[in-house]
Amino acid sequence: MIIDPLYGFVFFGLFSPGPNVVLLTASGARFGIRRTLPHLFGVVLGVGITAGLTGLGIAALLQQAPMLELALKIAASGWMLYMAWGLWHSDRRKGKAERDRPMTLIEAVLFQWVNPKVWAVALAAASAYPGTAGPWWEAVRLGTAFSGINLVCCLFWTSAGALLTYLLTTPTAWRVFTRIMAVALGSFSVMVFL
């Protein structure tokens, strides 16, 4: 049985730290697995859609429009900085304002459109491991590979975050954790332009 090398590439590309890993780990720790599921499934769906569109050649078109690419980078950076700010100021106390909630499915899907790591991995996968079928089958192949593999990665990081709550028992430990996550996410906002 021959396994497509695309799967290994996608696994390591999506499992390694990036904005989704940071956000899902933090959400798992803050809200638990069950409340994070809409966010998780939004990431899985959004990554699959982005990879599928890459298979159709959309990413190549974006690279040909430098102003549109710059606008997406600015949007990505701004969104990540906004989320990092929220993480920095997050509080674990019960009874917080309604705005303190996990990302919704739609928000997570939309975030993938400006997530530079997802675009980079999808572009690299489409060019390094091209399929032999037409563009629509290539879109399906990439989309299902990314979504299926990302489901496993997302479940791991969300569960890891939920397990961290057993270590984050003091306000100081919680503050250190959320600030490390915020700094990591903020650093990704800068890497967008590199």
Side-chain angles (χ1 to χ4, degrees), residues 106-121:
I106 298 299
E107 289 169 339
V109 168
L110 293 175
F111 176 65
Q112 304 320 304
W113 281 84
V114 294
N115 185 338
K117 182 181 176 200
V118 170
W119 281 106
V121 174

Side-chain angles (χ1 to χ4, degrees), residues 179-191:
R179 294 204 169 159
I180 288 171
M181 293 288 106
V183 168
L185 189 58
S187 69
F188 289 121
S189 73
V190 174
M191 289 184 208

